[in-house]
Amino acid sequence: MKVDRRTLLIGGGAGVGLVVAWGVWPRRYAPGLPLAKGEQAFDHFLKIAPSGLVTVAVPQVEHGQGVWTALPQLLADELGADWNKVAVIPSPAGKAYDNVLAGPLGKGRVTGGATSVRAFGDRLRQAGAAARAMLCAAAARRWGVSAAECDTAAGFVACGGRRLSFGDLAEAAAEEVVPRDAPLRARPAGLAMQPLPRLDGPPKVDGSVRFAADIRLPGLVHAAALIGDTAERDISGLHLGEGWVAAIGATSWAARQALARAAPAFRTTRLDDRAIELAMAAALEGEELPPLTGRTVTADYRMAAVPHLALEPPTATARWNEGRLELWAGTHRPDETLASSGPGPGSHLFPLPVGGPDHRLMTNEAAPIAAELARRLSRPVQVTLSPAHARAIDPVLAPAQARFRAKLGPDNRVLAWVGRLVGISPIPMPYTVPQVDIHLIDPKLSRLRTGHLRGGDDLFATFARESFVDELARQTGFEPLAFRIAMLGGHPRLARVLTTASALGGWDGGGAGSTLGLAVHSAYGSHAALLASATIGGDGQVAVDRLVCAVDCGRVVNPQLVRQQVESAIIAGLAYARAPAPSVSDGLLRSGGGTAPGLAGTPRITVEVIPSDAKAGGLSGLAVPLVAPAVANAVSAASGRRLRAHPFDPMSQP
């Protein structure tokens, strides 16, 4: 079966048609959408087939967050499309598809940092509005009326009692002048802000959507690979590259068995748990906290390295065709992944859906190996790292530690907050405190392989901050909800989600004997609060009964997607907090980390989405950092034991 961009179309069904859009930004970039015979490209994001099928090109990778539904939904609403005739394809490469909000995450097409709707939502709305104007202009010419008398709905242009389908008008509409400033709809036309079904839902259910390991090409061979510096220069039957070794087989199992039989030896990195512990302790103890006079409270918190929960190990398929590299891979950074694979001019990466939402495939180690092996063998090669090896070389979220000290006034207000943070970026501080002095310290763990994780540095920063706020409330005798509200005067949206979650969760004051705890967090222009009900179970482990989250993410594209994102983030945060701490030996993860809990192990989760007209914010990692502090605060209320380590280890904490 021929595999190209068109065969990766999701939803609606395939169709040959005419691209109709959009010179709304930037005009210097040539259209790059894949076109069949007879199709005409006018710009970057949208094509309409004679059948009326509307196909939207989405620059962002789908990794479960629903971006292949949310972005087409915004465009389709402006366009006036029939949702049953909307499909999506990954965008090709091109400057028009660059994520301008990606920042340090990378260049070109990048999915991460909860930027998808924020970076592309308005652009796709503008594309839909421009196409609507062109379709109306084409229909108006045919009917001899003014374009202002026409409008679109359900895939048709209508005027009075007459109507024409998008498919009937596409070719003529493409000849119309592209409007530079097509007006957006004043209110949704029936698709935006609705819980529409996901476009990628049916193909994921029936198995027709392709992930990286599903790619099959004529003459394909499989390779199993290990990442590391081999101690030998030449190993019989194996291929050696820069920092990797691989074995070839007719099947992935045969390749893996061949690699196991060869048992290549690697040079080790002198990094283990003890070295990490000493480096973190030396960094924290090496710089004293600023002195504070009067009544003070001091507390330490720590977080072990956090592995990913990824379901899909790094996989890639490569083929060279007349000096051009064709690469199929799941990756959050397709342009950078292609560039790292040594392509020639005209090369292309076909971005595939990613099997996991926690950003493990920000780096796909299999891609450059597949490209090099395909070049050497002059045939297509698929490389898959085994799940065990992918875990061993996992680029973890770096470990972190914090020491906080606060000065309390006669009225128990927090007058000063000083601290030292080891291993993470600045702590977000939503609370109003007159004096704040928090310094960052680099533990110099360059030999530890680190990377991006859903929630990022906020995972530990929020755990430490919200745990310390809870401790301060209890030290002063304040009720934890009122204590927080008193310091959130400058953040009304955050205060609202906090009071909402508290009310929905039946907040009881959080006093001694309560099983409830709270936490708040703002990120990506969004705000969330979590109420947790948790205790120490009979087995000595943390038992979580229910979690109630209130979210304000600004204008909502699809409320069902919001709930799915928040529920997924909560489950991830719970898995990170309850998994065994990882163990490192010779620079590799040898044990630890966890998996997402199954349905039987998942507490009751309630998500309340607060209506808002504010600008749309991000969601992906918003709720992940809330779980650990809310649960830890609940356990403190229930048992008097303060959990200051992440992941939780109740047996070793007082």
Side-chain angles (χ1 to χ4, degrees):
M1 181 181 190
K2 183 181 179 182
V3 179
D4 60 20
R5 280 168 282 197
R6 268 177 299 285
T7 65
L8 299 176
L9 181 142
I10 298 296
V16 177
L18 187 71
V19 173
V20 290
W22 313 148
V24 294
W25 75 283
R27 290 176 179 270
R28 64 183 180 276
Y29 302 144
L33 282 177
L35 301 174
K37 184 178 179 180
E39 292 180 325
Q40 299 178 44
F42 285 73
D43 217 306
H44 312 293
F45 291 109
L46 173 61
K47 59 182 178 181
I48 299 177
S51 65
L53 179 71
V54 173
T55 301
V56 183
V58 174
Q60 302 296 85
V61 66
E62 176 62 62
H63 58 78
Q65 82 280 41
V67 70
W68 280 8
T69 298
L71 291 179
Q73 188 170 347
L74 286 170
L75 186 151
D77 187 78
E78 285 292 339
L79 180 63
D82 178 353
W83 189 244
N84 293 315
K85 290 188 176 182
V86 175
V88 58
I89 57 172
S91 77
K95 289 290 186 181
Y97 305 110
D98 286 359
N99 185 342
V100 297
L101 298 183
L105 293 176
K107 297 179 180 179
R109 289 173 294 169
V110 178
T111 304
T115 58
S116 294
V117 170
R118 292 185 293 151
F120 292 99
D122 286 346
R123 299 178 187 178
L124 290 177
R125 287 188 68 197
Q126 290 165 4
R132 169 167 45 87
M134 296 166 75
L135 288 163
C136 287
R141 288 183 189 278
R142 190 171 300 185
W143 293 329
V145 299
S146 167
E149 300 176 59
C150 303
D151 200 0
T152 59
F156 289 86
V157 178
C159 177
R162 295 173 290 186
R163 68 176 194 166
L164 288 167
S165 74
F166 287 178
D168 291 336
L169 290 167
E171 187 170 3
E175 301 298 325
E176 295 290 336
V177 175
V178 180
R180 289 186 175 274
D181 298 301
L184 299 177
R185 295 186 187 274
R187 59 183 61 85
L191 297 181
M193 302 178 67
Q194 297 301 311
L196 300 182
R198 294 177 63 134
L199 292 180
D200 60 335
K204 285 181 175 177
V205 171
D206 65 23
S208 60
V209 67
R210 288 186 181 87
F211 290 90
D214 298 321
I215 297 300
R216 294 295 181 267
L217 300 172
L220 177 76
V221 294
H222 294 264
L226 295 173
I227 307 295
D229 293 324
T230 58
E232 303 170 72
R233 294 294 182 183
D234 185 22
I235 307 174
S236 177
L238 298 184
H239 291 266
L240 276 68
E242 186 176 347
W244 56 267
V245 59
I248 303 296
T251 65
S252 59
W253 175 250
R256 193 176 300 178
Q257 291 298 102
L259 187 59
R261 287 192 299 270
F266 291 88
R267 296 184 180 90
T268 59
T269 299
R270 297 178 62 183
L271 182 69
D272 56 19
D273 294 338
R274 181 61 175 164
I276 295 172
E277 181 182 351
L278 290 174
M280 298 296 291
L284 186 63
E285 300 298 338
E287 188 173 331
E288 292 285 337
L289 287 176
L292 294 176
T293 60
R295 184 183 172 198
T296 63
V297 177
T298 303
D300 288 5
Y301 306 92
R302 67 183 187 275
M303 180 183 75
V306 185
H308 293 84
L309 303 172
L311 301 175
E312 179 186 25
T315 301
T317 301
R319 177 175 65 188
W320 289 89
N321 183 4
E322 298 180 351
R324 297 187 299 272
L325 173 63
E326 296 175 305
L327 191 61
W328 291 261
T331 170
H332 290 258
R333 299 188 284 204
D335 297 329
E336 292 192 6
T337 299
L338 180 64
S340 71
S341 302
S347 296
H348 189 82
L349 185 147
F350 302 94
L352 298 164
V354 169
D358 60 356
H359 296 182
R360 169 60 181 87
L361 289 182
M362 277 287 184
T363 301
N364 188 328
E365 297 89 346
I369 301 174
E372 175 60 18
L373 289 174
R375 186 189 62 80
R376 293 182 189 181
L377 299 174
S378 298
R379 64 188 303 177
V381 177
Q382 183 173 103
V383 174
T384 301
L385 304 188
S386 71
H389 185 59
R391 172 54 63 95
I393 65 166
D394 186 12
V396 297
L397 181 66
Q401 292 189 11
R403 177 169 293 160
F404 291 147
R405 181 174 294 154
K407 176 181 179 179
L408 301 174
D411 57 357
N412 289 325
R413 289 191 307 115
V414 180
L415 300 180
W417 183 326
V418 299
R420 296 294 177 262
L421 288 174
V422 178
I424 68 168
S425 56
I427 183 171
M429 179 62 77
Y431 299 109
T432 301
V433 178
Q435 177 187 344
V436 177
D437 181 5
I438 298 177
H439 285 190
L440 311 179
I441 307 172
D442 181 3
K444 296 180 171 54
L445 287 171
S446 59
R447 289 177 295 170
L448 180 65
R449 187 189 299 260
T450 60
H452 300 279
L453 183 85
R454 189 179 186 186
D457 286 349
D458 288 351
L459 186 65
F460 177 67
T462 305
F463 171 63
R465 184 196 68 225
E466 291 301 300
S467 295
F468 191 53
V469 168
D470 204 71
E471 292 202 60
L472 293 176
R474 297 184 189 283
Q475 287 275 349
T476 59
F478 265 91
E479 184 263 337
L481 171 61
F483 189 75
R484 285 179 168 84
I485 292 295
M487 294 193 294
L488 289 175
H491 299 275
R493 294 173 68 189
L494 191 57
R496 184 181 179 189
V497 294
L498 176 58
T499 56
T500 300
S502 301
L504 290 175
W507 174 250
D508 59 5
S514 170
T515 62
L516 303 183
L518 297 169
V520 298
H521 180 49
S522 294
Y524 325 120
S526 298
H527 312 274
L530 185 70
L531 177 144
S533 174
T535 60
I536 300 294
D539 59 356
Q541 300 302 308
V542 173
V544 182
D545 174 58
R546 61 189 176 94
L547 298 162
V548 179
C549 189
V551 177
D552 177 354
C553 57
R555 292 192 302 271
V556 171
V557 178
N558 184 317
Q560 188 59 34
L561 291 179
V562 173
R563 293 187 179 91
Q564 291 171 3
Q565 278 268 56
V566 175
E567 289 170 358
S568 167
I570 287 172
I571 291 171
L574 189 61
Y576 297 145
R578 296 202 296 197
S583 178
V584 176
S585 176
D586 298 328
L588 300 174
L589 267 67
R590 302 297 185 182
S591 64
T595 59
L599 289 176
T602 301
R604 291 175 291 162
I605 299 174
T606 301
V607 177
E608 179 73 10
V609 182
I610 295 178
S612 174
D613 291 327
K615 187 176 180 179
L619 273 174
S620 179
L622 178 67
V624 176
L626 286 169
V627 180
V631 170
N633 294 339
V635 167
S636 178
S639 66
R641 298 168 68 178
R642 172 57 62 177
L643 304 178
R644 293 198 177 97
H646 184 291
F648 299 144
D649 184 6
M651 305 304 290
S652 66
Q653 299 180 55

